[in-house]
Each structure stands twice: as structure tokens, then as C-alpha cells.
Amino acid sequence: MTHDEARPLEVVHRAGDPPGPPLHVRVGDEVVITLYGSAAYGWTPVEVVTGSLTVIAAETTDGTVRATVRAAGVGEAELRSTSSFRGDRFGPQTRLWRLLVHVESS
């Protein structure tokens, strides 16, 4: 699959949203992830915990994180980010966002 044949996919998460279902992609697909936060309750950069996904672009603005990941190989992968209250280390609990991704051959 060439880069031009990759399917662009988008995942959006806002605080309070329920966890999303696992995502099914093909090798070469790119997924654009946006985690909306705020200046006081921001997300850490999205990271690949396991699997053959590669973060190819990332940015953070006022607590909102955007990342683009590419599926590099077949298998299961997991993406994660956390957000915590920045104004008080004893403040509200840290939140975990995670996404399971199933990558199939193209």
C-alpha cells in the first residue's frame, strides 16, 4: 500500500467521554487523534505502549493534544495518554485515556 492509498482515520476524545471501542486499521493507515483538555487539566503526549504503531506527528496546545500515528505492522497495539490537574498536585485524580488498535494486512 502506498502512502496515497492509506485511509485517514480520526479519533476525538473529550473529558467525560466514555472509552471508545477498539479501532481496526490496515497497515499503512494513519490515525489522527485529538484529546481535548484545558490549560488547567491537560493531556500528556500520546504514546505507543505496545505494538507496531509509530507516532509521526504530535503537538500540544493549552492542554489539548493532537497526534498522528501510522500502522507499521500487523498485530495489536495500544495508545495511551494521561491528564491531571496542573493547579494542585493533591487535586482531582489523574485520568487515563487508552485506545486498543487492531492492525490487519493491507
Side-chain angles (χ1 to χ4, degrees):
M1 174 183 290
T2 66
H3 179 68
D4 293 336
E5 296 170 345
R7 297 179 306 161
L9 302 161
E10 186 173 4
V11 173
V12 175
H13 179 81
R14 291 176 174 79
D17 285 353
L23 187 63
H24 295 269
V25 301
R26 297 185 306 230
V27 172
D29 285 351
E30 293 182 0
V31 182
V32 177
I33 300 156
T34 304
L35 305 177
Y36 287 100
S38 67
Y41 217 117
W43 292 98
T44 60
V46 172
E47 62 181 354
V48 178
V49 178
T50 61
S52 59
L53 297 175
T54 303
V55 177
I56 59 173
E59 67 177 89
T60 303
T61 307
D62 293 329
T64 295
V65 170
R66 288 181 185 80
T68 302
V69 298
R70 181 177 296 138
V74 174
E76 294 190 4
E78 182 177 344
L79 300 169
R80 285 188 186 178
S81 178
T82 58
S83 76
S84 57
F85 185 67
R86 296 177 180 180
D88 177 1
R89 64 186 179 118
F90 300 108
Q93 66 184 11
T94 298
R95 297 179 290 199
L96 170 67
W97 172 85
R98 64 187 282 234
L99 178 66
L100 299 177
V101 181
H102 301 283
V103 183
E104 301 169 354
S105 60
S106 52

